Amino acid sequence: MRLPLAATLAAGLLLGMVPALPAQAAPTRYEAENATISQGVVESNHTGYSGTGFVNGDNVAGSYTEFTVTASAAGTATIAIRYANGTTVDRPADIAVNGSVVAAARSFTGTGSWDTWATATLTAPVNAGANKIRLTSTSVNGNPNLDYVDVETAAPTSEYQAENATISQGTVATNHTGFTGTGFVDYTNITGSYVEFTVNAATAGNYTLTFRYANGTTVDRPMDIAVNGTTTSAGVSFPATANWDTWADKSVTATLVAGANKVRATATTANGGPNLDRLNASAPSDSEPPTAPANLRVVGDVKPSSVDLAWDAATDNVGVSTYVIYNGGNVLMTVGGNVTAITVQGLTPNTGYVLSVIAYDQAGNASPASNNVPITTPPSDDTQPPSVPGNLRSTNVGATSVTLAWNASTDNIGVTGYNVYKDGVKFATVPDLTATADGLTANTTYAFAVEAFDANGNTSGRSAAISVKTTSTAGGGDPVYDKDVNTAYDLPWGIAFLPDGSALVAERDRFEITRLTQDGTRTVVGKVTEAVTTLGEGGLLGLAVSPNFATDHYVYAYYTSSSDNRVARFTFVNNAIGPREPIVTGISKNKFHNGGRIKFGPDGMLYITTGEAQTPSRAQDLNSLNGKILRVTPTGAGAPGNPFPNAPRVYSLGHRNPQGIAWDSQGRLWESEFGDATWDELNLIQPGKNYGWPNCEGKCSNSAYVDPVQQWDVAAASPSGLEIVNDWIYMAAVRGQRLWVMKINGNTTDTPRAFFNGRWGRLRTVVKTPDGGLWLTSTNNDKNGGTSSTLDNVIVRLKFAAAPFALSSTAFANNGTIPVKHTCQQDGVSGNDISPPLAWSNGPAAAKSYAITLIDTANSNKHWVIWDIPATKGSLPEGLGLGYDVPNQSPARQKAMSSGNKALQYFGPCPGGSTHKYEFTLYALDTATLPGVTSSSTVAAVETAIQAHDLAGVKLAGNSNATT
């Protein structure tokens, strides 16, 4: 079930399991394992909990768990209690706030199993500062298992009914319809009649005062608006509303003092005032964030499971509401705005953390992050090893890989991970219950075993070994390591291939763009000097090459500037980047959750993933570009067909920190997304849909949000880059340190399998290459702003176990010499040449047709193109005939670079020298008939249409040494 994080309810005491609704600001979470427990223990033997565990109360009446929560102001709090009850018997509890029972014998019914969690919500009054919330069992069955409470304090009321105000020369009436409250004020028809409201303001500032009124005459009824005896708006118009049953709003802005204010609306004509229903006083819009908490520091010694922290208070124009303590980009705990020292509990012994603090105000504005404080907890005194993992088994066997699974071990403290062995040699260390052994030999038997370990390094015995024999024939999309492309990169984040097959690579913390060839040659071609670090996840991130690069030479980059995250474009000419032209700005930034992937889609539009910049409410706010997938034109405008007219760049919302996007053979967009403390996600994106954050994380039954297709524990994945080849999904996992692989089946996938577990560390980007493989990057040492002076991350090439999509010719080998017979030298005249025989195999199953182009790579001359080749064909014969409709190859069509008859037949290579390379490119297309082209279209125009429908492509290169 997806986990509701907050719910906003109507005033009054409301109880029940309710769907989560968007909140104005994120609630504050209090983990049960950090609460005061009477007759109960902290456990972790069931799945799906938040934090480090849950409270299992003793099965007796009177056992309780008491939370200490902080409210920034007195008011009504929404309290969401997350619990599990694996029995069929209700486990009621009294819920008390500050000693007073607010819900007696509150029902906590069965949730189906102890691994299934539900949320019960109530509202109750709280005091400013510390409050005690206690759940006490009222039956011998004890409380349910308790995971956490989320607490959110409602803002003070801003609505004031006119019938409750001070009235001079007027009466309370009910003889018209449509009013709110218990009535409205009917002004006496005389100058000077008035209604005076007492408005309580939490803070001083400029408030919007909105009067709801009706005027059933045809004559304006103006009034003076005064605040605390001073007229702030004179002669405000209250025009006719058609009849006395039709109500309208009139707003003015006035300065209120903190506390009580007298707001008077006085009639200025003999007609008196309009009928007045109510006044709404909207607090001033606060867009100013707090300052960064300074001097975050460790107090005393770091302990195996806790650390004492302190920091200098942040400041804010209104006031700091909460502080949130982060490990990297994940929340550890939240405390009140008056707290600047805290003990962080529930840490894992013998483990590294990078801690920071962010301040938030009541409006949800996030400060810049504090300084980072790296710590490593010492080992504990635990010496007891976990139990031996059980039921080791193979779940998928291929020619080059075996996927394993096993049952979880148990431990007195907790299992940290598993070591997996092949023929007695460790090949993987994983945090969950699966691993894939890759690079195996076909038709060969291997022995596998697994052992568990805890945070102190206590290791179980190994499981009994199992023998698995690989198959004799490779199939599917299993990746196999091919070679190191380059092993001297800082943090290679974005990769975009150029038409010549080389790639531009963005180095996050050096802000450099390098050009990397297929043979691994690395050349710095420029620096984005406007980019800055966030000492977290910001910097120079995604890259994309224009679909029209041959003519416009544009490259696009997503980067963090001094003021925001933004997308800019620049030209790439003569191996150098040009000045940046920002096209999308105003994407808020923070230390973490900056998003940053950009790609051009099949529709030619640019897609941009943005994080919520550590302010979760932005993900649900259509006025913010954060927590979204954006879809824009190449100039940055909202793309035609986007779903939100008032948010023209937004394609989907409700995202936390998406960093991977890719399209399948049907043109559908898939996305990978970092979760917070519970679930990472793989989503199938639909325009206009809401993906839930921060109200949901993972799968749920709330119809307001779209469930992810797959979800992972955050330790197992934390996904960044995403790529799709022949409907196989490849997802790079940062924290999980593996490549997740799965096959698309309709609207879902098969069971994900984890490859290359821990081999290269934290995996960031995966991208398909022009030569039919994958490039995969590591970004180790990236959590603390990186070490830009150290070049130790890798880009590796992967190939596929199955026979690759391939194009060949019996006339010449790839990168060989094209025979004179198939060049213009064969008759000494350019054009109307003899085409070589061509054959291909292993095209994608979704291909509906094929197309082939011939390009001169030295000067980009586009010689020839043939398209609408049926998907059932796998070859073309030598010497294709003359004609737009290719003779004997119906329904295939062709065009060439010349005019007249020469434009209607193969146009072979012409003089160029022994290293003058030409490339035949075979495209698998998603359409049987290429749209938008005619017999008058140029080769370039046809190529552009082909690339808009490309599923996969492969090249066959050859040199021309024709001399005439």
Side-chain angles (χ1 to χ4, degrees), residues 710-751:
Q710 296 288 354
Q711 64 183 26
W712 292 263
D713 180 272
V714 293
S718 297
S720 185
L722 192 75
E723 188 56 282
I724 298 176
V725 179
N726 295 340
D727 285 343
W728 284 85
I729 293 177
Y730 303 90
M731 189 179 78
V734 179
R735 183 175 170 187
Q737 300 188 14
R738 62 247 292 236
L739 183 69
W740 284 99
V741 177
M742 61 214 91
K743 183 71 167 67
I744 297 172
N745 289 328
N747 293 326
T748 186
T749 75
D750 63 4
T751 301

Side-chain angles (χ1 to χ4, degrees), residues 523-548:
T523 305
V524 177
V525 296
K527 185 172 186 177
V528 179
T529 55
E530 308 90 84
V532 301
T533 182
T534 64
L535 298 178
E537 292 176 342
L540 179 58
L541 303 175
L543 291 178
V545 169
S546 167
N548 301 311

